[in-house]
Amino acid sequence: MIAGIRDSWYMAGRHLRNLMRQPVYIALMLFQPVLYLVVFSQLFKKITLIPGFATTSYLVFLTPGIIILNALFGTAWSGMSIIEDVNRGVIDRFLQTPIKRVSLIAGRLTQMGVTLIIQSLILVGLALLMGARFSGGLTGILLLFLCSIMLALPFAALSNGIALMSGQQETVAAAVNFILLPLMFLSTVFMAPNLVPGWIRAISRYNPVNWAVEAGRAAVSPNPNWAIIGMRLLLLAGLSVVGVFFATHAFKTYQRSV
Amino acid sequence: MPDETRSEDAAIVARGLKKTYRGDVVALDGLDLEVPAGMCYGLVGPNGSGKTTTVKIMTTLTTADDGQAVVSGIDVKADPDRVRKMIGVVDQRSTADLTATARENLTLQGRVYGLKGPELKTRVSELLEQFGLSKDAKRLVKGFSGGMTRRLDVALGLVHRPHVLFLDEPSTGLDPEARHALWEEIDRLVQGQRMTILFTTHYLEEAERYGELISIIDSGHVVATGTPDELKSTLQGDALFVELAGAVDPDLVKRSLAGIEDVSDVVVEDRRLRARADVGARAVPRVLSELESAGIQIDSVTVSRSSLDDAYLLYTGRRFAEVDQAGEEAAAAGAGAKRAKKEGGEGR
Ligand SMILES: Nc1ncnc2c1ncn2[C@@H]1O[C@H](COP(=O)(O)OP(=O)(O)OP(=O)(O)O)[C@@H](O)[C@H]1O
Ligand SMILES: [Mg+2]
């Protein structure tokens, strides 16, 4: 356990250094969410006029969803970088050392977490500039960040696992599109829960993206429902454990094919 | 030599290793190997013969379908983590992290093995110095030349002063001078450390020079083992090379030379004829006259002393039924092995 954490720390160091060498990457990854935030918040400004829409500012409603989506999309691609390491033999070299397997995944997830926080800060900053005000205050915003990271963990781990098993970037890309797009649309990211069709609402109850969106939205709301936030975070944590377990196990499959 | 006594202080033991990859590619087909502790042991063999697969199994990267692999007395399958602590590995292709500097690569590798603080720092600087990378320590490996990267690869394998070192074609891609320098460095590092080394190579002179024992491997198993001298002495006499003027039926050539007493191991490839003779100079006139009477025109004839090259060609360039038998006898050397080959040749 201690060895696992220590090794993960070393691996995180390697990935964070890489990140610092190419900060442009963070900005590039932000292009899509910024676009969504700016365009959708303008495009659907009047949506809040629909009777039954709880919040008065669509921007305030949308921001938590966009932060969650950013986490989802930015990290699902995380498997791409492990394939690069596989192709360069770096993974093989580490597998021949006593390093704990889990650290090869956990190190990446740590870097991803740091990237997400930076990106989320930028997105929230942008929303504030655009006039959004979040009643939950700083605590609420930090909780929202936590929600986004907790959603990113299982998906990034899944992406890494698929990458290791298939060894092909194309497969990861296909899987990402196959899984993520439905998860995004079958949620309440863009529309208030009481206004989406019943069947979508029914499905969204089992959608991890929605768990994160609801918890995040609750966290920045005036009167956070702590039970909902806690429950959703717990579910996501459980999913993360499963994800990391899967990814770590994927090394076995990979090693059989080497 | 009884097997048991040797196994005791063998640093690397492989018994009946088998590995089949997806698509029914047989990489190893019952490979046996025994590397005494403290020895520098060479593995040679043609492309795809299973050298890298052997290294991958011994270094815990992948597992064998069957058979046993033991490093420093530890079973590789049963306790891979303990094996990993004992070994250093230099893979066939470079494994350095291109997006980091040389120093960062070495530092992380050291940390993984539990080195820390000033000790780690000293060790990294020492290796950079030894492999002539001090000047470039702070450059990203991405910008390194092939030779520099290779030196870094070797340094990465040595960070933790392993007991057993695996080098899979360490000198590939290096110019002769760099190759020599690399081996000198390895040699120097190993001296006094009683490190066991298993290396693979396609350069026979390298195997001959640095391998105290050599195994020739082909089609996933060992076909001959011995010191370079032993392997050469299996090939008594001289090697005979004849360039034929045109393409001919190999069987016709073999038939026409079959009558000559001291000529053996006749191989015909395209327009080249290869054979062995007890005394080359004496055999040449008879070979020429036999070929002439069979109506075969020739361009040139060369006679050369046995080299490891010949041994390699003999064991891997042609396959005969008793390949295993010949392999066993190779270490013992002498006429016995030669007879086995002769019989095998006829048996085809
Ligand atoms: N990951 C793999 N998947 C499928 N087949 C493989 C794999 N690795 C090796 N092989 C096959 O196993 C056989 C042995 O390969 P190996 O790499 O061990 O040969 P080698 O002796 O190292 O060759 P070389 O001198 O070219 O490096 C080859 O036929 C090769 O195609
Ligand atoms: Mg190889």
Side-chain angles (χ1 to χ4, degrees):
Chain A
M1 181 71 185
I2 290 184
I5 293 173
R6 187 200 57 210
D7 290 347
S8 302
W9 177 245
Y10 294 150
M11 286 299 134
R14 166 174 178 243
H15 296 298
L16 287 172
R17 201 178 47 218
N18 274 350
L19 186 66
M20 269 163 16
R21 289 212 167 108
Q22 38 189 326
V24 180
Y25 171 81
I26 296 184
L28 281 179
M29 295 295 287
L30 269 175
F31 180 71
Q32 195 181 352
V34 165
L35 195 74
Y36 278 13
L37 191 65
V38 173
V39 173
F40 282 136
S41 66
Q42 298 303 309
L43 205 59
F44 300 131
K45 208 170 189 163
K46 299 255 160 60
I47 241 175
T48 51
L49 299 178
I50 300 174
F53 209 102
T55 33
T56 48
S57 156
Y58 186 61
L59 181 62
V60 171
F61 174 82
L62 186 65
T63 305
I66 293 294
I67 283 178
I68 301 293
L69 277 193
N70 175 54
L72 186 66
F73 278 91
T75 58
W77 301 101
S78 151
M80 297 295 186
S81 91
I82 207 170
I83 291 184
E84 210 157 285
D85 270 356
V86 165
N87 292 342
R88 288 176 181 165
V90 178
I91 292 291
D92 284 3
R93 169 157 59 87
F94 286 134
L95 287 175
Q96 286 162 322
T97 71
I99 196 171
K100 294 277 170 270
R101 301 296 178 262
V102 68
S103 71
L104 296 175
I105 300 296
R108 276 162 214 283
L109 298 188
T110 307
Q111 182 237 41
M112 178 202 75
V114 172
T115 312
L116 279 184
I117 290 177
I118 299 172
Q119 291 180 328
S120 301
L121 278 172
I122 296 175
L123 285 172
V124 166
L126 186 66
L128 289 174
L129 275 181
M130 288 165 69
R133 291 298 172 262
F134 303 99
S135 340
L138 187 62
T139 328
I141 286 177
L142 289 182
L143 259 177
L144 168 63
F145 289 3
L146 181 66
C147 292
S148 74
I149 291 175
M150 291 306 287
L151 176 71
L153 288 180
F155 283 101
L158 182 72
S159 173
N160 276 294
I162 294 174
L164 279 173
M165 285 182 162
S166 69
Q168 286 174 325
Q169 305 204 321
E170 294 80 7
T171 310
V172 178
V176 163
N177 281 328
F178 186 77
I179 299 172
L180 294 198
L181 289 180
L183 287 186
M184 171 171 82
F185 290 119
L186 298 176
S187 74
T188 59
V189 172
F190 297 109
M191 187 54 93
N194 49 340
L195 293 178
V196 300
W199 65 274
I200 291 188
R201 195 162 52 234
I203 295 177
S204 72
R205 230 170 261 141
Y206 304 97
N207 181 353
V209 176
N210 218 49
W211 300 344
V213 171
E214 282 181 355
R217 216 170 258 158
V220 294
S221 71
N223 299 304
N225 183 337
W226 297 110
I228 285 194
I229 298 174
M231 193 57 215
R232 299 288 191 267
L233 281 176
L234 215 62
L235 281 170
L236 291 171
L239 217 52
S240 303
V241 172
V242 174
V244 171
F245 185 81
F246 165 73
T248 308
H249 206 75
F251 281 111
K252 291 217 173 74
T253 311
Y254 166 70
Q255 282 182 273
R256 262 196 299 272
S257 72
V258 189
Chain B
M1 217 178 306
D3 247 339
E4 290 73 21
T5 54
R6 270 178 75 176
S7 300
E8 295 250 308
D9 49 59
I12 304 170
V13 181
R15 284 203 196 92
L17 286 187
K18 288 194 178 162
K19 172 102 185 161
T20 305
Y21 281 105
R22 230 190 307 176
D24 290 336
V25 182
V26 178
L28 292 184
D29 185 21
L31 181 122
D32 294 295
L33 203 64
E34 196 164 301
V35 181
M39 181 176 275
C40 192
Y41 196 108
L43 216 53
V44 296
N47 288 133
S49 55
K51 302 180 295 296
T52 298
T53 307
T54 305
V55 171
K56 281 180 188 163
I57 292 171
M58 305 303 314
T59 59
T60 76
L61 184 56
T62 193
T63 48
D65 302 333
D66 198 13
Q68 199 190 18
V70 180
V71 174
S72 284
I74 309 160
D75 187 296
V76 166
K77 214 169 198 165
D79 202 350
D81 256 329
R82 255 179 79 209
V83 171
R84 289 175 187 132
K85 287 190 184 118
M86 315 284 301
I87 61 171
V89 190
V90 177
D91 281 322
Q92 180 167 355
R93 56 174 185 163
S94 173
T95 59
D97 180 0
L98 303 182
T99 57
T101 68
R103 184 180 290 280
E104 286 163 353
N105 264 288
L106 286 165
T107 304
L108 180 57
Q109 186 80 352
R111 287 212 168 107
V112 164
Y113 285 104
L115 294 177
K116 296 198 216 8
E119 189 196 359
L120 173 63
K121 232 178 148 172
T122 322
R123 180 68 183 143
V124 168
S125 302
E126 190 178 285
L127 282 167
L128 286 168
E129 183 69 42
Q130 275 164 346
F131 286 92
L133 293 168
S134 297
K135 195 161 49 60
D136 304 290
K138 287 188 176 157
R139 279 178 57 196
L140 292 185
V141 178
K142 211 182 294 185
F144 276 21
S145 75
M148 289 161 72
T149 315
R150 204 58 186 149
R151 293 205 297 274
L152 176 61
D153 282 330
V154 178
L156 281 169
L158 288 166
V159 169
H160 56 300
R161 303 181 204 274
H163 294 274
V164 182
L165 182 64
F166 293 88
L167 302 169
D168 198 357
E169 299 191 24
S171 58
T172 306
L174 300 186
D175 64 46
E177 196 184 333
R179 210 190 308 160
H180 180 77
L182 181 71
W183 271 107
E184 291 301 300
E185 199 49 56
I186 293 170
D187 234 21
R188 221 163 52 79
L189 291 170
V190 169
Q191 297 217 330
Q193 281 195 38
R194 219 178 120 72
M195 195 188 279
T196 308
I197 299 185
L198 179 69
F199 70 94
T200 77
T201 182
H202 281 290
Y203 302 108
L204 287 177
E205 79 278 3
E206 196 170 280
E208 186 169 359
R209 184 148 176 195
Y210 301 102
E212 295 165 64
L213 272 178
I214 298 173
S215 279
I216 300 179
I217 132 171
D218 188 27
S219 307
H221 58 263
V222 172
V223 290
T225 297
T227 63
D229 281 341
E230 277 169 353
L231 287 178
K232 279 189 283 184
S233 67
T234 342
L235 306 161
Q236 280 190 334
D238 303 320
L240 223 61
F241 293 95
V242 182
E243 296 268 354
L244 304 172
V248 286
D249 175 16
D251 286 333
L252 175 65
V253 176
K254 278 180 198 156
R255 247 180 292 128
S256 62
L257 298 184
I260 312 177
E261 264 286 282
D262 63 347
V263 171
S264 61
D265 303 327
V266 179
V267 181
V268 184
E269 256 170 20
D270 289 332
R271 292 167 47 189
R272 272 199 304 269
L273 186 169
R274 224 168 38 230
R276 306 211 52 79
D278 289 345
V279 181
R282 213 185 298 151
V284 167
R286 291 206 56 197
V287 168
L288 293 184
S289 72
E290 290 293 343
L291 288 178
E292 198 183 338
S293 56
I296 301 166
Q297 306 268 309
I298 66 153
D299 274 348
S300 71
V301 182
T302 324
V303 176
S304 64
R305 303 293 307 169
S306 289
S307 70
L308 195 56
D309 256 299
D310 301 328
Y312 180 86
L313 273 179
L314 177 70
Y315 285 113
T316 65
R318 49 183 293 221
R319 290 141 213 262
F320 34 82
E322 287 90 355
V323 120
D324 281 328
Q325 192 189 340
E328 273 163 29
E329 283 170 0
K338 204 178 156 204
R339 192 170 0 98
K341 268 159 246 146
K342 241 184 196 164
E343 284 160 11
E346 282 158 12
R348 269 202 302 182

